Each structure stands twice: as C-alpha cells, then as structure tokens.
Amino acid sequence: LIDIRRIRLASGLVLALFLVTHFGNHALGLISVAAMEAGRTWFVRLWHSWPGTVALYGALAAHFVVALVALYRRPTLRMPLREAAQYIFGLALPLLLVSHVVATRVGHALTGLEARYPEVLYGLWVAAPMIGAKQALALLIAWGHACLGLWFWLRVRPSYRVAAPYLFAFALLVPVLALLGFAQGGEEVAAAGVLRPPLDPAVALQLAQINFALTSGLIGLIVATLAARGLRSWRARSTRVRVSYPQGRIVTVPAGYSVLEASRHGRIPHNSVCGGKGRCSTCRVRITAGLDAVPPPGAAEQHTLARFGAGPDVRLACQLRPTSDLAVTPVLTHAGIRPVLAGGDTGREREIAVLFCDLRGFTRMSESRLPFDTVFLLNRYFQLVGEAVEAEGGHLDKFIGDGALALFGLSEPLEVAAGQAFRAAAAIARGIAELSETLGDELGAPLRIAMSLHAGPAIVGVMGFGESSTLTAIGDTINAASRLEGAAKEFDAELVVSTVVADRAGLDLAGHPRRSIAVRGRAAPIEVWVMERAGGQPAQDGRSTTDVVLPLALPSQRL
Ligand code: FES
C-alpha cells in the first residue's frame, strides 16, 4: 500500500523549499533588480539542474495527484474550514500558476530566452498589472497552503510550542518581503523603461496553446475526480452503517465514512487535534459493540495506537471506516459525548511527566482528630507538595482529597521534565519525613506517602467550565500514572517510577526491584522500578536512594 501521507509530506517539503528560495529571490528586489538577478543565478543553478528539475516537477505532480486521490477517497466533503481551505488552495494553485510556468520555464525551453527579472517585472508590473496581481494572489495562496500543511504536520509535536513564535514570524515575513521586493523591483524597471523584445508570433501562439492544454487538462482532472467520487458516493449510499454513541445517539452514514466523519455528520462533538491525520490519537474511541466485524487498522493507525499501548478494542475514529454497524465511546471526553475542552482551547498533545502522590492512611488518621487539626495538617502537606513541585518547575494540577497531581514538561523537553519530576518526588518524601519528625507524638504514627511517576503523551489544555477552568492534562498517561500510585501502596513503597521516566531522565535505578504492572485498557504492562524510600533515607537493606545517579537541573536545560 502506498503511504499517501508520506508522499504528501515529502513532496510538500520540496515545494515549500522551492517557495522559500523563490520568494527569497523576490525579496532581493528591496535591494535592487540587479540583486534579484544575482540571486536568480543561484536559484536557477539549484532548480534548473537535473536533480532540481526532477525534484520540483516530481513533487508538483505527486502533490497534485495525492490531493486528487485524497479528494476521491473522502466519503464526505463535510470538513472543518481549515481543511477545506487546504483543499481549495491546493487545487486552485496549479490553475493560477500554469500561465506563469508556461511563460517562464516553457518559454525558455522553446526560445532559449531566459526569464530575467527586468523583463518579467516589466511585464507584470507595467505592461499587464492585472496578471501581476494574479501572480501576487498565487504567491499568497501558495504560501498559505504551505503554511497550513506545515502547521497540520508540526502542531502535534512536542517542540512546536517552543518553535511556534519563530515559525509564525517567518511565515509572516516571507510573503511580505517577497511582495515588497516585487513592488520595489517593478518600480525600478518602470522608471528605467525596460522592454521585453516582442515574442515571435508563432512561439506566442504555441505558448498559448500549451497554456490552454495544461489548464484544460488540470480542470479536467479535478472535474473527473469530483465526478468519480460523486459516483462512488452515490453507489455507496445503498450500503449504510449505523454508528451508536453513548447517551443513545445514533448516526447512520454510507459505508466508507470514518467514525470521525460520522460524528461530524451527526454534529456530535469529537476531538481531532491533528485534523484527522491519524497522528494525535485524540479522536480515539473504544468499540463497545461490533468489534469482530471492524476492518483491521492500517500501518499508520497501528503505529499511533502502539505509541500509547492501546488495547484491542481502541481505534482511531479518523482512520476506522466501519463496514457494518458498531457502537463506540469516544475516549477523550468527560461526560458522554460532551466536548472536553472549554473556551475554544482545542488542547495540544505533548509528552509530559506526571507525578501522583497520596497521603496514606490519612482518612483513618483524621477520624480521631479535631477538624482544625486535620485542616492544619492537610495545608502543611499541600504546602510542601506545592513547593517541591514548583521548585522543580512543575505545574501543580490539582489536589484531590489528600492526593495531588503534578505535571512536568509543559514547556520543557521530556528528558528535562522526567528529571524534574523525580527530584520533586524525592523532595516531597523528604518533606513528609521532616513533617513527621516535627509533629512527633502529635501524629501518633509517622506520615506515609505513596507516589508514582510516569511519562508519555497527554492532551494538555484549559478544561472545565467558566471560572473553574484550569490548565490540566488528560489521557492514558494520566490514568496509568494514577494506577501506578495504587501499585506503590500495594508494594508498600514510597515511589514507583516507570522505566519510561527513568530512561528519559537518565536515572540509574538498577539497585531497586523492577516489576510489571498491568493497567486496564492497555495491552502491554508497564515496567516500573519500586523504591521503598524516595527521599534519600536509608532503606531496610542499608541501601540509600541517594545513590541514584540523577542528572542535575542545569539552568540551561530550562527553555
Ligand atoms: S484526529 Fe488525530 S488521530 Fe484521529
């Protein structure tokens, strides 16, 4: 099977590089037309060479064909505005550019005359400004299409948040400088009165015929694709599939629709952070009926499902195209099919480290105390947890009863975040020991803590309602970390650290017991290190957790 996504990405990257060099060349017009010409010699060396020509025209053809194939395969044209814009821009571009390509590249092949900046600028700025305006529009559409495609690709990556301001500035500057350079160069040739030698009428006719043939061919391909998909949809309507959702909602769609498209068709809110590209996993659903008849996942879907160890009943709604009735429950929702994220924040997926901690036996302890004592003790505990988390640069997500959830890596790479989370856990363990010592006999028995550390992808965003909206994270990584905290209690240990955290933080925990923990909904168990003591106190066998080789938090590691 040809992976269309890879072809689209590879060809899109080649075309984006072409646009940057081409528009960069235009921007030299801010210096002079001579500078544009000097830049053009390098541009021609790159893109008129054999490898450059094959890469450019191969990418152009592949990108266009892949767009047509994707358009044909879409069971529905109902889609978010940004996806629709991507299609419209992509299909309009070849039509807008064909005359420019014929006049410059094909014209050069037929006449041997190079498309030099002075003559081209004179033609577009002075002789035929409407054609110049059309080319300026094509420039903006081409750049908008490229930026949208790159955004779809990059926005689910952990480093995107850091790079976004720079990318945005670059995305804004490139077309602005290119258009300013084009205008400045146009003014310069207008003042100089540069004239292009008249074209041989026979060559001009030939170019016009080629232009017409290419334009007609492109329009014909688009129309044929739309007609073919219309015909296929019409035939598919005879086979319909019922997709059932929680709360009794049922959507009936033609076979061939994905579950995500069925949700959109039925106006059922459904997360899809990557726009249905199969990369973010936020659309995933648990299949509660009809699992036996669903088609198996393709390679791309398998890859994404494997990233978070999905169970056999979990599938990506954007990739699953059921051929018979089924029932699904979207995983990343709160109550039923209510939207997860509030305030228009669609959230983002990133790799984070998660710390859960819980004060053991606190409920029993508080039963024999005055309420004031209980509040005092809880506040001391909350304070030391909050200080330990914030000292390491973490985000204290919430206190749940006598437990707490903290997130690390909201703006740092996971390697840094995992080390921060481990040091915070050690600080909490030390703080609990000190608090026990300070309160001494008041407590009756020392305070005990159970903590877990895990890391992986999670959806991070502002969630909730109105004033109670907070920055938090959801997903399997959080659920698994919560389960590991339960395991810490079962092992009677202060801390359970998943091997993911240990590996990413570069920790050497080899002296501690290693265990496998089964987690509901995950196919594979989670490997963990069990630390009886997490704060550096001597363990029963005399070993000290301070022996752990822990990288220091260098200021330069914080982004
Ligand atoms: S929408 Fe991102 S994987 Fe389905």
Side-chain angles (χ1 to χ4, degrees):
L1 255 183
I2 298 172
D3 189 340
I4 280 198
R5 289 189 316 170
R6 283 179 194 278
I7 298 174
R8 178 165 47 202
L9 177 61
S11 57
L13 287 174
V14 171
L15 295 175
L17 179 64
F18 173 80
L19 292 180
V20 169
T21 53
H22 197 34
F23 297 165
N25 201 167
H26 291 355
L28 290 174
L30 286 168
I31 301 171
S32 67
V33 175
M36 293 173 104
E37 267 302 288
R40 191 179 67 81
T41 55
W42 289 99
F43 177 80
V44 166
R45 248 176 237 171
L46 175 63
W47 295 110
H48 286 208
S49 66
W50 268 110
T53 302
V54 170
L56 175 59
Y57 288 97
L60 258 179
H63 212 65
F64 187 66
V65 169
V66 158
L68 291 182
V69 171
L71 187 63
Y72 171 75
R73 285 185 180 173
R74 282 194 83 95
T76 172
L77 293 181
R78 196 188 292 252
M79 63 185 98
L81 189 62
R82 57 198 177 202
E83 275 183 64
Q86 188 70 339
Y87 269 106
I88 292 167
F89 284 3
L91 295 176
L93 255 183
L95 300 173
L96 285 166
L97 288 176
V98 72
S99 60
H100 182 59
V101 174
V102 169
T104 54
R105 198 75 189 255
V106 180
H108 174 233
L110 289 180
T111 63
L113 289 176
E114 283 202 49
R116 298 172 62 248
Y117 266 105
E119 290 83 10
V120 173
L121 281 173
Y122 192 87
L124 295 178
W125 189 256
V126 182
M130 285 312 293
I131 298 179
K134 192 178 105 178
Q135 291 310 310
L137 179 67
L139 180 152
L140 291 175
I141 289 179
W143 190 244
H145 179 74
C147 289
L148 260 179
L150 289 171
W151 179 69
F152 275 125
W153 178 47
L154 293 175
R155 68 177 171 152
V156 294
R157 292 175 186 269
S159 52
Y160 176 71
R161 191 177 164 82
V162 177
Y166 306 102
L167 293 174
F168 180 72
F170 184 73
L172 207 61
L173 277 177
V174 167
V176 168
L177 293 178
L179 288 174
L180 286 175
F182 172 65
Q184 179 71 24
E187 285 297 307
E188 191 180 322
V189 295
V194 177
L195 282 172
R196 189 183 182 107
L199 211 53
D200 180 336
V203 174
L205 179 65
Q206 203 176 355
L207 288 177
Q209 287 170 338
I210 293 172
N211 191 1
F212 178 76
L214 284 175
T215 306
S216 308
L218 289 171
I219 292 174
L221 279 172
I222 295 170
V223 170
T225 303
L226 288 171
R229 73 167 297 287
L231 183 65
R232 201 206 49 196
S233 305
W234 176 72
R235 289 173 62 183
R237 277 180 218 289
S238 54
T239 319
R240 300 182 80 80
V241 170
R242 281 158 49 101
V243 183
S244 307
Y245 295 81
Q247 300 174 351
R249 299 280 304 267
I250 295 175
V251 179
T252 303
V253 289
Y257 272 50
S258 71
V259 172
L260 181 63
E261 285 160 346
S263 301
R264 287 174 180 168
H265 189 75
R267 304 201 184 285
I268 292 176
H270 202 137
N271 288 304
S272 59
V273 170
C274 75
K277 303 280 190 298
R279 289 200 291 261
C280 69
S281 82
T282 56
C283 65
R284 63 185 179 269
V285 291
R286 194 174 301 284
I287 299 171
T288 52
L291 179 62
D292 294 344
V294 299
E301 186 184 354
Q302 270 178 21
H303 176 74
T304 303
L305 290 172
R307 274 176 54 204
F308 60 92
D313 57 342
V314 173
R315 295 289 299 271
L316 299 184
C318 65
Q319 305 298 310
L320 172 58
R321 298 184 186 279
T323 49
S324 55
D325 296 354
L326 82 170
V328 299
T329 300
V331 174
L332 297 186
T333 58
H334 281 165
I337 50 178
R338 202 160 62 84
V340 171
L341 302 168
D345 185 341
T346 56
R348 62 198 161 87
E349 188 189 51
R350 64 174 293 121
E351 289 200 299
I352 58 171
V354 180
L355 185 159
F356 262 101
C357 71
D358 189 69
L359 208 49
R360 297 183 61 186
F362 185 76
T363 310
R364 205 174 49 251
M365 188 185 289
S366 61
E367 281 167 359
S368 58
R369 302 186 159 272
L370 291 173
F372 178 82
D373 282 352
T374 305
V375 171
F376 168 79
L377 190 55
L378 267 183
N379 277 336
R380 290 288 301 269
Y381 160 67
F382 290 155
Q383 182 186 0
L384 77 88
V385 170
E387 286 175 353
V389 168
E390 289 181 0
E392 286 298 335
H395 169 74
L396 191 56
D397 184 327
K398 59 176 75 74
F399 290 113
I400 314 147
D402 52 12
L405 163 63
L407 313 174
F408 297 81
L410 299 184
S411 54
E412 297 87 1
L414 188 53
E415 285 70 19
V416 176
Q420 291 173 332
F422 187 84
R423 284 188 292 275
I428 291 170
R430 283 195 299 273
I432 289 291
E434 285 165 16
L435 188 58
S436 286
E437 206 175 306
T438 306
L439 298 178
D441 294 342
E442 292 290 318
L443 290 171
L447 294 170
R448 298 171 70 206
I449 193 98
M451 295 182 285
S452 66
L453 292 176
H454 187 41
I459 304 301
V460 179
V462 177
M463 306 180 206
F465 179 73
E467 291 294 305
S468 65
S469 299
T470 56
L471 179 69
T472 186
I474 54 172
D476 286 351
T477 299
I478 314 294
N479 302 338
S482 171
R483 165 72 185 99
L484 296 189
E485 185 230 274
K489 288 178 191 152
E490 289 162 23
F491 292 131
D492 200 16
E494 279 190 345
L495 178 62
V496 161
V497 185
S498 74
T499 52
V500 181
V501 170
D503 293 347
R504 299 302 281 265
L507 301 172
D508 179 5
L509 300 180
H512 297 273
R514 185 171 163 143
R515 298 278 185 272
S516 294
I517 313 280
V519 175
R520 199 161 64 89
R522 288 178 63 105
I526 298 177
E527 295 290 313
V528 299
W529 297 105
V530 179
M531 299 180 67
E532 188 183 341
R533 297 281 180 269
Q537 303 93 332
Q540 283 179 355
D541 60 0
R543 184 170 34 78
S544 167
T545 53
T546 50
D547 294 340
V548 169
V549 180
L550 179 63
L552 293 172
L554 301 174
S556 60
Q557 284 178 299
R558 304 212 175 151
L559 300 179

